[in-house]
Amino acid sequence: MNHRTQTEQLGALDRTANCPLYQQIADLLTSAIQQRRYQHGDRLPSETALAAHFGVARMTVRHAIQLLLRSGLASAEHGRRGVFVAGPDHAGSPTRHLSPDDLLALVAVVEHINGHVLTTEQYSALQSVYRAARARHKGGQGRQGGPKALSK
């Protein structure tokens, strides 16, 4: 399948929407992956092809691709040129790339959005996510020992 065919199936951006263009691109790519228009192992269109299709700068596309990489839906493999749709073993928890510092930022965002401090149940759930993420990282990222606020 050529790049033009690959990008035509993605649709168009809504430039009047109150949503960043990079997020719209990431959402369109996510939707295409979830609808199996791109299968496990398929190479996604290049940054250049996506930028031309959507009429945006490559940096905008690069930001969208980073969102897919962080979510686990796509992977950039060393030795292979391009970004590929990840398999089910890679597309698991969105927390698989969270560092302890990321989790502290997440707590702050959730509390800000809610307008109040997390409940005990919410805090416990978030703490469980933190512990699972930390176990997956084996302490390799973020501050050593994790955030004190979540060590209760």
Side-chain angles (χ1 to χ4, degrees):
M1 180 184 312
N2 67 36
H3 288 297
R4 184 176 173 94
T5 306
Q6 282 187 318
T7 57
E8 283 175 352
Q9 64 184 332
L10 291 173
L13 301 176
D14 180 358
R15 294 182 186 276
T16 63
N18 191 19
C19 181
L21 296 177
Y22 70 86
Q23 183 65 59
Q24 290 183 49
I25 295 169
D27 291 345
L28 289 168
L29 286 167
T30 297
S31 178
I33 291 168
Q34 291 171 340
Q35 294 173 5
R36 305 247 183 228
R37 285 183 263 160
Y38 296 109
Q39 305 273 333
H40 163 66
D42 284 352
R43 182 173 180 238
L44 293 177
S46 69
E47 287 179 5
T48 303
L50 289 168
H53 172 74
F54 291 117
V56 298
R58 280 185 53 202
M59 191 55 106
T60 303
V61 171
R62 188 169 294 146
H63 196 165
I65 296 294
Q66 286 300 316
L67 293 178
L68 291 179
L69 293 171
R70 284 190 211 124
S71 75
L73 285 174
S75 64
E77 301 169 16
H78 296 288
R80 289 181 77 187
R81 191 176 161 118
V83 176
F84 299 85
V85 176
D89 55 327
H90 290 95
S93 168
T95 62
R96 70 186 187 93
H97 294 293
L98 277 182
S99 72
D101 291 333
D102 292 335
L103 192 64
L104 271 182
L106 180 59
V107 169
V109 168
V110 169
E111 289 178 347
H112 177 74
I113 290 171
N114 285 340
H116 56 80
V117 176
L118 295 176
T119 66
T120 303
E121 293 81 20
Q122 292 168 327
Y123 187 83
S124 293
L126 199 52
Q127 190 174 36
S128 295
V129 170
Y130 165 74
R131 286 183 179 141
R134 187 168 176 215
R136 281 191 294 275
H137 283 89
K138 297 180 184 168
Q141 293 183 6
R143 288 181 285 174
Q144 293 292 13
K148 290 182 182 177
L150 295 176
S151 300
K152 290 183 181 176

